[in-house]
Amino acid sequence: IFFLQFVFHSYTTGFALINGNGTAKAEGYSVQEKQIFYSLGAISYAACIGAFPLVFMNRYTMRSPLTELIVRKLLPAPLLGLMSAFTVAVVRSPEFEHGIEVVDRNGKVIGVSQKAGEKAVRETAVSRGVLFGTTFFLPNALAYFVQRAKLAKTPRNLAIVRMLFTTLVLAGMLPASLSMFPQRGEIKRADLEPEILSSTEETVLFYNRGI
């Protein structure tokens, strides 16, 4: 269980690392040792949290129907969503520590803003959590109703149905999560640092959110 969680979070964390803010400022620290260290820590922590409920249940032989329902059906989806958001926030933490570039409507760089970096990372973390939380929850919920209605006669058929539901939900949620927030994010000038306020009269500035 831990291994599967570790592989999943390694992939999503690597994706977040590669597809972070694409400005020149971000490129300068994209492979810093600190960021890689944070990534490994986040992956290990997320894998442990994801595997813990089932390991705990098996370790203490807690096999009641209620425990099975909570641990196997209810907990995994929110945990996966939360840990996916957590790993994004950790791996891209340099963006709100050092800031990202903000530009005006014409693409002219106005300055580097930590507040814009924080907003970009927060939006990406929310979209990633929604993507994987929903993708994990809905197929299991739909498969449960299929099982209750006895539409799938064998465990093999139920597994096929669950895989089909997962594919369909993922195909729908991927564009939905990416469109939750615009790729070219906006931030009000009044919400930025004082040095940026004095550099422009624009009321709204823009930044690259990353994926």
Side-chain angles (χ1 to χ4, degrees), residues 30-41:
S30 61
V31 292
Q32 279 186 350
E33 291 182 4
K34 181 170 120 175
Q35 196 171 14
I36 295 175
F37 176 77
Y38 281 177
S39 300
L40 291 175

Side-chain angles (χ1 to χ4, degrees), residues 137-153:
F137 172 76
L138 276 183
N140 284 337
L142 294 172
Y144 172 77
F145 288 115
V146 168
Q147 186 178 19
R148 288 292 300 270
K150 297 182 179 179
L151 298 176
K153 303 298 184 182

Side-chain angles (χ1 to χ4, degrees), residues 49-181:
I49 293 297
F52 176 77
L54 193 56
V55 172
F56 183 84
M57 184 184 73
N58 291 335
R59 173 68 177 81
Y60 293 99
T61 61
M62 301 171 67
R63 295 287 185 174
S64 69
L66 179 60
T67 304
E68 290 271 354
L69 175 65
I70 293 174
V71 173
R72 292 188 181 275
K73 303 295 184 183
L74 300 181
L75 270 182
L79 278 181
L80 189 66
L82 286 172
M83 290 301 99
S84 296
F86 168 76
T87 54
V88 170
V90 171
V91 74
R92 291 182 54 180
S93 59
E95 292 181 28
F96 54 78
E97 290 177 0
H98 301 281
I100 61 175
E101 290 178 351
V102 290
V103 300
D104 61 16
R105 296 183 186 277
N106 299 318
K108 178 184 176 182
V109 177
I110 302 301
V112 175
S113 170
Q114 291 176 311
K115 293 183 178 180
E118 180 182 348
K119 189 170 184 284
V121 173
R122 183 174 64 249
E123 290 173 346
T124 307
V126 169
S127 67
R128 196 67 54 80
V130 169
L131 169 63
F132 290 116
T134 305
T135 300
F136 197 88
F137 172 76
L138 276 183
N140 284 337
L142 294 172
Y144 172 77
F145 288 115
V146 168
Q147 186 178 19
R148 288 292 300 270
K150 297 182 179 179
L151 298 176
K153 303 298 184 182
T154 65
R156 179 184 177 185
N157 289 341
L158 184 62
I160 293 173
V161 169
R162 182 180 284 110
M163 186 179 299
L164 177 62
F165 283 152
T166 301
T167 303
L168 293 174
V169 172
L170 181 59
M173 282 304 302
L174 186 58
S177 66
L178 292 176
S179 63
M180 284 181 65
F181 304 101

